[in-house]
Amino acid sequence: MINLREALERNPTNLEARVYLAATMESSGAQTDAAWEVEEIRALQPGFDIDTWLDSYPMTNPGQQQTLRSILTPLGL
């Protein structure tokens, strides 16, 4: 999480870092912090949808895509 937070200190509008930070927080049990990151994602990109984002994201491993999707979907992404 440290590297993601540092990336956001340099560029608070980095959507990719926010997506991964939300997923990391949710996975580590920090649901309140993850929900806050989701709000930040929504502020940066209203209507953000994890499926649409993954369609254009250069992640080719279907297992990794499914893992990220399964973590973020319950958060409303």
Side-chain angles (χ1 to χ4, degrees):
M1 276 193 273
I2 292 169
N3 292 338
L4 293 168
R5 287 185 174 150
E6 287 176 0
L8 289 171
E9 284 178 19
R10 290 189 301 272
N11 181 5
T13 63
N14 184 332
L15 186 64
E16 179 182 14
R18 291 206 179 273
V19 167
Y20 281 107
L21 186 56
T24 302
M25 290 174 164
E26 178 68 13
S27 294
S28 68
Q31 286 83 19
T32 302
D33 293 331
W36 188 87
E37 283 302 327
V38 167
E39 292 301 318
E40 291 296 305
I41 291 166
R42 294 262 185 237
L44 290 171
Q45 188 173 337
F48 178 90
D49 176 73
I50 189 61
D51 292 321
T52 303
W53 188 74
L54 284 171
D55 284 344
S56 65
Y57 189 74
M59 181 185 291
T60 57
N61 182 311
Q64 289 176 335
Q65 286 184 350
Q66 186 54 39
T67 298
L68 191 57
R69 189 177 283 113
S70 69
I71 294 168
L72 294 174
T73 298
L75 290 171
L77 293 179

Coordinates of all heavy atoms in Angstrom, one line a residue:
M1 N 0.8 -1.2 0.0 CA 0.0 0.0 0.0 C 0.9 1.3 0.0 O 0.4 2.3 -0.5 CB -0.9 0.0 1.2 CG -2.2 -0.8 1.0 SD -3.4 -0.5 2.3 CE -3.0 -1.7 3.5
I2 N 2.1 1.1 0.5 CA 2.9 2.3 0.7 C 3.2 2.9 -0.7 O 3.1 4.1 -0.9 CB 4.2 2.0 1.4 CG1 3.9 1.6 2.9 CG2 5.2 3.1 1.3 CD1 5.1 1.1 3.6
N3 N 3.6 2.1 -1.7 CA 3.9 2.6 -3.0 C 2.7 3.2 -3.7 O 2.8 4.2 -4.4 CB 4.4 1.4 -3.9 CG 5.8 1.0 -3.4 OD1 6.5 1.7 -2.8 ND2 6.1 -0.2 -3.8
L4 N 1.5 2.6 -3.5 CA 0.3 3.2 -4.1 C 0.0 4.6 -3.4 O -0.4 5.5 -4.1 CB -0.9 2.3 -3.9 CG -0.8 1.0 -4.7 CD1 -1.9 0.0 -4.2 CD2 -0.9 1.2 -6.1
R5 N 0.2 4.7 -2.2 CA -0.1 6.0 -1.5 C 1.0 7.0 -1.9 O 0.6 8.2 -2.1 CB 0.0 5.8 0.0 CG -1.3 5.1 0.5 CD -1.3 5.0 2.0 NE -2.6 4.5 2.5 CZ -2.7 3.8 3.5 NH1 -1.7 3.6 4.3 NH2 -3.9 3.3 3.9
E6 N 2.2 6.6 -2.1 CA 3.2 7.5 -2.6 C 2.9 8.0 -4.0 O 3.1 9.1 -4.4 CB 4.6 6.9 -2.6 CG 5.1 6.8 -1.2 CD 6.5 6.0 -1.1 OE1 7.0 5.6 -2.2 OE2 7.0 5.9 0.0
A7 N 2.4 7.1 -4.9 CA 2.0 7.4 -6.2 C 0.9 8.4 -6.2 O 0.9 9.4 -7.0 CB 1.5 6.2 -7.0
L8 N -0.1 8.3 -5.3 CA -1.2 9.3 -5.2 C -0.7 10.6 -4.6 O -1.3 11.6 -4.8 CB -2.3 8.6 -4.3 CG -3.0 7.5 -5.1 CD1 -4.0 6.8 -4.2 CD2 -3.7 8.1 -6.3
E9 N 0.3 10.6 -3.7 CA 0.9 11.8 -3.3 C 1.4 12.7 -4.4 O 1.3 13.9 -4.5 CB 1.9 11.6 -2.2 CG 1.4 11.2 -0.9 CD 2.5 10.9 0.1 OE1 3.7 11.4 -0.1 OE2 2.2 10.3 1.1
R10 N 2.1 12.0 -5.4 CA 2.6 12.6 -6.6 C 1.5 13.0 -7.6 O 1.7 14.0 -8.2 CB 3.7 11.7 -7.2 CG 4.9 11.6 -6.4 CD 6.0 10.9 -7.2 NE 5.7 9.5 -7.6 CZ 5.8 8.4 -7.0 NH1 6.4 8.5 -5.7 NH2 5.5 7.2 -7.4
N11 N 0.5 12.2 -7.7 CA -0.5 12.4 -8.6 C -1.9 11.9 -8.1 O -2.2 10.8 -8.3 CB -0.2 11.7 -10.0 CG -1.3 12.0 -11.0 OD1 -2.2 12.8 -10.8 ND2 -1.2 11.3 -12.2
P12 N -2.6 12.8 -7.4 CA -3.9 12.4 -6.8 C -5.0 11.9 -7.8 O -5.9 11.4 -7.4 CB -4.3 13.6 -6.0 CG -3.3 14.6 -6.1 CD -2.3 14.1 -7.1
T13 N -4.8 12.2 -9.0 CA -5.8 11.8 -10.0 C -5.4 10.5 -10.7 O -6.1 10.2 -11.7 CB -6.0 13.0 -11.1 OG1 -4.7 13.2 -11.8 CG2 -6.4 14.3 -10.4
N14 N -4.5 9.8 -10.2 CA -4.0 8.5 -10.8 C -5.1 7.5 -10.5 O -5.1 6.9 -9.5 CB -2.7 8.1 -10.2 CG -2.1 6.9 -10.9 OD1 -2.9 6.0 -11.3 ND2 -0.8 6.8 -10.9
L15 N -6.0 7.3 -11.5 CA -7.1 6.3 -11.3 C -6.6 4.9 -11.1 O -7.2 4.2 -10.2 CB -8.0 6.4 -12.6 CG -9.3 5.6 -12.5 CD1 -10.2 6.2 -11.4 CD2 -10.0 5.7 -13.8
E16 N -5.6 4.5 -11.8 CA -5.1 3.1 -11.7 C -4.6 2.9 -10.2 O -4.9 1.8 -9.6 CB -3.9 2.9 -12.6 CG -3.3 1.5 -12.5 CD -2.1 1.4 -13.5 OE1 -1.6 2.4 -14.0 OE2 -1.7 0.2 -13.7
A17 N -3.9 3.8 -9.7 CA -3.4 3.7 -8.3 C -4.6 3.6 -7.3 O -4.6 2.8 -6.4 CB -2.5 4.8 -7.9
R18 N -5.6 4.4 -7.6 CA -6.8 4.4 -6.7 C -7.5 3.0 -6.8 O -8.0 2.5 -5.8 CB -7.7 5.5 -7.0 CG -7.1 6.8 -6.6 CD -8.1 7.9 -6.3 NE -7.4 9.1 -5.9 CZ -7.1 9.4 -4.7 NH1 -7.3 8.6 -3.7 NH2 -6.5 10.6 -4.4
V19 N -7.6 2.5 -8.0 CA -8.3 1.2 -8.1 C -7.5 0.1 -7.4 O -8.1 -0.7 -6.6 CB -8.4 0.8 -9.6 CG1 -8.8 -0.6 -9.8 CG2 -9.4 1.8 -10.3
Y20 N -6.2 0.1 -7.5 CA -5.5 -0.9 -6.8 C -5.4 -0.7 -5.3 O -5.4 -1.7 -4.5 CB -4.0 -1.0 -7.4 CG -4.0 -1.8 -8.7 CD1 -3.9 -1.2 -9.9 CD2 -4.3 -3.2 -8.7 CE1 -3.9 -1.9 -11.1 CE2 -4.3 -4.0 -9.9 CZ -4.1 -3.3 -11.1 OH -4.1 -4.0 -12.2
L21 N -5.4 0.5 -4.9 CA -5.4 0.8 -3.5 C -6.7 0.4 -2.9 O -6.8 -0.2 -1.8 CB -5.1 2.3 -3.2 CG -5.0 2.7 -1.8 CD1 -3.9 1.9 -1.1 CD2 -4.7 4.2 -1.7
A22 N -7.8 0.7 -3.5 CA -9.2 0.2 -3.0 C -9.2 -1.3 -2.9 O -9.7 -1.9 -1.9 CB -10.3 0.7 -4.0
A23 N -8.7 -2.0 -3.9 CA -8.7 -3.5 -3.9 C -7.8 -4.0 -2.8 O -8.1 -4.9 -2.1 CB -8.2 -4.0 -5.2
T24 N -6.6 -3.4 -2.6 CA -5.7 -3.8 -1.5 C -6.3 -3.6 -0.2 O -6.2 -4.4 0.7 CB -4.4 -3.0 -1.7 OG1 -3.8 -3.3 -3.0 CG2 -3.4 -3.4 -0.6
M25 N -6.9 -2.4 0.0 CA -7.6 -2.1 1.3 C -8.7 -3.1 1.6 O -8.8 -3.6 2.7 CB -8.0 -0.7 1.3 CG -6.9 0.3 1.4 SD -7.6 2.0 1.2 CE -6.2 2.9 1.8
E26 N -9.5 -3.3 0.6 CA -10.6 -4.2 0.8 C -10.1 -5.6 1.2 O -10.6 -6.3 2.1 CB -11.5 -4.3 -0.5 CG -12.6 -5.3 -0.4 CD -13.7 -4.9 0.5 OE1 -13.8 -3.7 1.0 OE2 -14.6 -5.7 0.8
S27 N -9.1 -6.1 0.5 CA -8.5 -7.4 0.7 C -7.9 -7.5 2.1 O -7.8 -8.6 2.7 CB -7.5 -7.7 -0.3 OG -8.1 -7.9 -1.6
S28 N -7.4 -6.4 2.6 CA -6.7 -6.4 3.9 C -7.7 -6.1 5.1 O -7.3 -6.1 6.2 CB -5.6 -5.4 4.0 OG -6.0 -4.1 3.9
G29 N -9.0 -6.0 4.8 CA -9.9 -5.8 5.8 C -10.2 -4.3 6.2 O -11.0 -4.1 7.1
A30 N -9.7 -3.4 5.5 CA -9.9 -2.0 5.7 C -11.0 -1.5 4.8 O -10.8 -0.7 3.9 CB -8.6 -1.2 5.5
Q31 N -12.2 -2.0 5.1 CA -13.4 -1.7 4.3 C -13.7 -0.2 4.3 O -14.1 0.3 3.2 CB -14.6 -2.5 4.7 CG -14.6 -3.9 4.3 CD -13.8 -4.8 5.3 OE1 -13.5 -4.4 6.4 NE2 -13.3 -5.9 4.8
T32 N -13.6 0.5 5.4 CA -13.9 1.9 5.4 C -13.0 2.7 4.5 O -13.4 3.6 3.8 CB -13.8 2.5 6.9 OG1 -14.7 1.7 7.7 CG2 -14.2 3.9 6.9
D33 N -11.7 2.4 4.6 CA -10.7 3.1 3.7 C -11.0 2.7 2.2 O -10.8 3.6 1.4 CB -9.3 2.7 4.1 CG -8.9 3.2 5.5 OD1 -9.5 4.3 5.9 OD2 -8.1 2.6 6.1
A34 N -11.3 1.5 2.0 CA -11.6 1.0 0.6 C -12.8 1.8 0.1 O -12.8 2.3 -1.1 CB -11.8 -0.5 0.6
A35 N -13.8 2.0 0.9 CA -15.0 2.7 0.5 C -14.7 4.1 0.2 O -15.3 4.7 -0.8 CB -16.1 2.6 1.6
W36 N -13.8 4.7 1.0 CA -13.4 6.1 0.7 C -12.7 6.2 -0.7 O -12.9 7.1 -1.4 CB -12.5 6.6 1.8 CG -12.2 8.1 1.7 CD1 -12.9 9.1 2.2 CD2 -11.0 8.7 1.0 NE1 -12.3 10.3 1.9 CE2 -11.1 10.1 1.2 CE3 -9.9 8.1 0.4 CZ2 -10.2 10.9 0.6 CZ3 -9.0 9.0 -0.2 CH2 -9.2 10.4 0.0
E37 N -11.8 5.2 -1.0 CA -11.1 5.2 -2.3 C -12.2 5.1 -3.4 O -12.0 5.7 -4.5 CB -10.1 4.1 -2.3 CG -8.8 4.4 -1.6 CD -8.1 5.7 -2.1 OE1 -8.2 6.0 -3.2 OE2 -7.5 6.3 -1.2
V38 N -13.2 4.3 -3.2 CA -14.2 4.2 -4.2 C -14.9 5.5 -4.5 O -15.1 5.9 -5.6 CB -15.3 3.1 -3.8 CG1 -16.5 3.2 -4.7 CG2 -14.7 1.7 -3.8
E39 N -15.1 6.3 -3.4 CA -15.7 7.6 -3.6 C -14.7 8.5 -4.4 O -15.2 9.3 -5.2 CB -16.0 8.3 -2.2 CG -17.2 7.6 -1.5 CD -18.5 7.6 -2.3 OE1 -18.8 8.6 -2.9 OE2 -19.1 6.5 -2.4
E40 N -13.5 8.4 -4.1 CA -12.5 9.2 -4.9 C -12.5 8.8 -6.4 O -12.4 9.6 -7.2 CB -11.1 9.0 -4.3 CG -10.9 9.6 -2.9 CD -11.1 11.1 -3.0 OE1 -10.3 11.8 -3.7 OE2 -11.9 11.7 -2.2
I41 N -12.6 7.5 -6.6 CA -12.6 7.0 -8.0 C -13.9 7.5 -8.7 O -13.8 8.0 -9.8 CB -12.7 5.4 -8.0 CG1 -11.3 4.9 -7.5 CG2 -13.0 4.9 -9.4 CD1 -11.3 3.4 -7.2
R42 N -15.0 7.5 -8.0 CA -16.3 8.0 -8.6 C -16.2 9.6 -8.8 O -16.7 10.1 -9.8 CB -17.4 7.8 -7.6 CG -17.7 6.3 -7.5 CD -18.9 5.9 -8.4 NE -19.3 4.6 -8.2 CZ -19.3 3.7 -9.1 NH1 -18.9 4.0 -10.4 NH2 -19.6 2.4 -8.9
A43 N -15.4 10.3 -7.9 CA -15.3 11.7 -8.2 C -14.4 12.0 -9.4 O -14.6 12.9 -10.1 CB -14.6 12.3 -6.9
L44 N -13.4 11.1 -9.6 CA -12.5 11.3 -10.7 C -13.2 10.9 -12.0 O -13.0 11.5 -13.1 CB -11.2 10.5 -10.6 CG -10.3 11.0 -9.5 CD1 -9.2 9.9 -9.3 CD2 -9.6 12.3 -9.9
Q45 N -13.9 9.8 -11.9 CA -14.6 9.3 -13.1 C -16.0 8.8 -12.8 O -16.2 7.6 -12.5 CB -13.8 8.1 -13.7 CG -14.3 7.6 -15.0 CD -13.3 6.6 -15.7 OE1 -12.2 6.5 -15.4 NE2 -13.9 5.8 -16.5
P46 N -17.0 9.7 -12.8 CA -18.3 9.3 -12.5 C -18.8 8.2 -13.5 O -18.5 8.2 -14.6 CB -19.1 10.6 -12.8 CG -18.1 11.7 -12.7 CD -16.8 11.1 -13.1
G47 N -19.5 7.2 -12.9 CA -19.9 6.1 -13.7 C -18.9 5.0 -13.9 O -19.1 4.2 -14.7
F48 N -17.8 5.1 -13.2 CA -16.7 4.1 -13.3 C -17.3 2.7 -13.2 O -18.1 2.5 -12.3 CB -15.6 4.4 -12.3 CG -14.5 3.3 -12.3 CD1 -13.4 3.6 -13.1 CD2 -14.6 2.2 -11.6 CE1 -12.4 2.6 -13.2 CE2 -13.6 1.2 -11.6 CZ -12.5 1.4 -12.4
D49 N -16.9 1.9 -14.1 CA -17.3 0.5 -14.0 C -16.1 -0.4 -14.2 O -15.4 -0.3 -15.2 CB -18.3 0.2 -15.2 CG -18.8 -1.2 -15.2 OD1 -19.5 -1.6 -14.4 OD2 -18.3 -1.9 -16.2
I50 N -15.9 -1.4 -13.3 CA -14.7 -2.2 -13.3 C -14.6 -3.0 -14.6 O -13.6 -3.2 -15.2 CB -14.6 -3.1 -12.1 CG1 -13.2 -3.8 -12.0 CG2 -15.7 -4.1 -12.0 CD1 -12.0 -2.8 -11.9
D51 N -15.8 -3.5 -15.1 CA -15.7 -4.3 -16.3 C -15.3 -3.5 -17.5 O -14.5 -3.9 -18.3 CB -17.1 -4.9 -16.6 CG -17.5 -6.0 -15.6 OD1 -16.6 -6.7 -15.2 OD2 -18.6 -6.0 -15.1
T52 N -15.8 -2.3 -17.6 CA -15.5 -1.4 -18.7 C -14.0 -1.0 -18.6 O -13.3 -1.0 -19.6 CB -16.3 -0.1 -18.7 OG1 -17.7 -0.5 -18.8 CG2 -16.0 0.8 -19.9
W53 N -13.5 -0.7 -17.4 CA -12.1 -0.4 -17.2 C -11.2 -1.5 -17.6 O -10.2 -1.3 -18.3 CB -11.9 0.0 -15.7 CG -10.6 0.6 -15.4 CD1 -10.1 1.8 -15.8 CD2 -9.5 0.0 -14.7 NE1 -8.8 2.0 -15.3 CE2 -8.4 0.9 -14.6 CE3 -9.4 -1.3 -14.1 CZ2 -7.3 0.6 -14.0 CZ3 -8.2 -1.6 -13.5 CH2 -7.2 -0.7 -13.4
L54 N -11.6 -2.7 -17.2 CA -10.7 -3.9 -17.5 C -10.7 -4.2 -19.0 O -9.7 -4.8 -19.5 CB -11.2 -5.1 -16.7 CG -10.8 -5.1 -15.2 CD1 -11.5 -6.3 -14.5 CD2 -9.3 -5.2 -15.0
D55 N -11.8 -3.9 -19.7 CA -11.8 -4.1 -21.1 C -10.7 -3.3 -21.8 O -10.2 -3.7 -22.9 CB -13.2 -3.7 -21.7 CG -14.2 -4.8 -21.4 OD1 -13.9 -5.9 -21.0 OD2 -15.4 -4.4 -21.6
S56 N -10.3 -2.2 -21.3 CA -9.3 -1.3 -21.9 C -8.0 -1.4 -21.2 O -7.0 -0.8 -21.6 CB -9.8 0.1 -22.0 OG -10.0 0.7 -20.7
Y57 N -7.9 -2.1 -20.1 CA -6.7 -2.1 -19.3 C -5.8 -3.3 -19.8 O -6.3 -4.4 -20.1 CB -7.1 -2.4 -17.8 CG -5.9 -2.2 -16.9 CD1 -5.4 -1.0 -16.6 CD2 -5.3 -3.3 -16.3 CE1 -4.3 -0.8 -15.7 CE2 -4.2 -3.2 -15.4 CZ -3.7 -1.9 -15.2 OH -2.7 -1.8 -14.3
P58 N -4.5 -3.1 -19.9 CA -3.6 -4.1 -20.4 C -3.3 -5.2 -19.4 O -2.1 -5.5 -19.2 CB -2.4 -3.3 -20.8 CG -2.3 -2.2 -19.8 CD -3.8 -1.8 -19.6
M59 N -4.3 -5.9 -18.9 CA -4.1 -7.0 -18.1 C -4.7 -8.2 -18.8 O -5.9 -8.3 -19.1 CB -4.9 -6.9 -16.8 CG -4.8 -8.0 -15.8 SD -5.8 -7.9 -14.3 CE -5.0 -6.5 -13.5
T60 N -3.8 -9.1 -19.2 CA -4.2 -10.2 -20.1 C -4.6 -11.5 -19.4 O -5.2 -12.4 -20.0 CB -3.2 -10.5 -21.2 OG1 -1.9 -10.8 -20.5 CG2 -3.0 -9.3 -22.1
N61 N -4.2 -11.6 -18.1 CA -4.5 -12.8 -17.4 C -5.9 -12.8 -16.9 O -6.3 -12.0 -16.0 CB -3.5 -13.0 -16.2 CG -3.7 -14.2 -15.4 OD1 -4.8 -14.6 -15.0 ND2 -2.6 -14.9 -15.2
P62 N -6.8 -13.7 -17.4 CA -8.2 -13.7 -17.0 C -8.3 -14.0 -15.5 O -9.3 -13.5 -14.9 CB -8.8 -14.9 -17.8 CG -7.9 -15.1 -18.9 CD -6.5 -14.7 -18.4
G63 N -7.5 -14.8 -14.9 CA -7.5 -15.0 -13.4 C -7.3 -13.7 -12.6 O -8.0 -13.5 -11.6
Q64 N -6.3 -12.9 -13.1 CA -6.1 -11.7 -12.4 C -7.2 -10.7 -12.5 O -7.6 -10.0 -11.6 CB -4.8 -11.1 -12.9 CG -3.5 -11.8 -12.5 CD -2.3 -11.2 -13.1 OE1 -2.3 -10.6 -14.1 NE2 -1.2 -11.4 -12.4
Q65 N -7.8 -10.7 -13.7 CA -9.0 -9.8 -14.0 C -10.1 -10.3 -13.1 O -10.8 -9.4 -12.5 CB -9.4 -9.9 -15.4 CG -8.5 -9.2 -16.4 CD -9.1 -9.2 -17.8 OE1 -10.0 -9.9 -18.1 NE2 -8.4 -8.4 -18.7
Q66 N -10.4 -11.5 -13.0 CA -11.5 -12.0 -12.1 C -11.2 -11.7 -10.7 O -12.2 -11.4 -9.9 CB -11.7 -13.5 -12.4 CG -12.9 -14.0 -11.6 CD -14.2 -13.3 -12.0 OE1 -14.4 -12.9 -13.1 NE2 -15.0 -13.0 -11.0
T67 N -10.0 -11.9 -10.2 CA -9.7 -11.5 -8.8 C -10.0 -10.1 -8.5 O -10.6 -9.8 -7.5 CB -8.2 -11.9 -8.5 OG1 -8.0 -13.3 -8.7 CG2 -7.8 -11.5 -7.1
L68 N -9.5 -9.2 -9.4 CA -9.7 -7.8 -9.2 C -11.2 -7.5 -9.2 O -11.7 -6.7 -8.4 CB -9.0 -7.0 -10.2 CG -8.9 -5.5 -10.0 CD1 -8.2 -5.1 -8.7 CD2 -8.1 -4.8 -11.2
R69 N -11.9 -8.0 -10.2 CA -13.3 -7.8 -10.3 C -14.1 -8.3 -9.1 O -15.0 -7.6 -8.6 CB -13.8 -8.6 -11.6 CG -15.2 -8.3 -12.0 CD -15.6 -9.1 -13.2 NE -15.1 -8.4 -14.4 CZ -14.1 -8.9 -15.2 NH1 -13.6 -10.1 -15.0 NH2 -13.7 -8.2 -16.3
S70 N -13.7 -9.5 -8.6 CA -14.4 -10.0 -7.4 C -14.2 -9.2 -6.1 O -15.0 -9.2 -5.2 CB -14.0 -11.5 -7.2 OG -12.7 -11.6 -6.8
I71 N -13.1 -8.6 -6.1 CA -12.8 -7.7 -4.9 C -13.5 -6.4 -5.0 O -14.1 -5.9 -4.0 CB -11.3 -7.4 -4.8 CG1 -10.5 -8.7 -4.4 CG2 -11.0 -6.4 -3.7 CD1 -9.0 -8.7 -4.6
L72 N -13.6 -5.8 -6.2 CA -14.1 -4.5 -6.4 C -15.6 -4.4 -6.6 O -16.3 -3.4 -6.2 CB -13.4 -3.7 -7.5 CG -11.9 -3.5 -7.2 CD1 -11.2 -2.9 -8.4 CD2 -11.8 -2.6 -6.0
T73 N -16.2 -5.5 -7.1 CA -17.6 -5.4 -7.4 C -18.5 -5.2 -6.1 O -19.4 -4.4 -6.2 CB -18.0 -6.7 -8.2 OG1 -17.3 -6.7 -9.4 CG2 -19.5 -6.7 -8.4
P74 N -18.2 -5.9 -5.0 CA -18.9 -5.7 -3.8 C -18.8 -4.2 -3.3 O -19.7 -3.8 -2.6 CB -18.4 -6.7 -2.8 CG -17.7 -7.7 -3.6 CD -17.2 -7.0 -4.9
L75 N -17.8 -3.5 -3.7 CA -17.7 -2.1 -3.3 C -18.5 -1.2 -4.2 O -18.5 0.0 -4.0 CB -16.2 -1.7 -3.4 CG -15.3 -2.3 -2.3 CD1 -13.8 -2.0 -2.6 CD2 -15.7 -1.8 -0.9
G76 N -19.1 -1.7 -5.2 CA -20.0 -0.9 -6.1 C -19.2 -0.5 -7.4 O -19.7 0.4 -8.1
L77 N -18.1 -1.1 -7.6 CA -17.4 -0.7 -8.9 C -17.7 -1.8 -9.9 O -17.5 -1.7 -11.0 CB -15.9 -0.6 -8.6 CG -15.5 0.6 -7.7 CD1 -14.0 0.5 -7.6 CD2 -15.9 1.9 -8.3

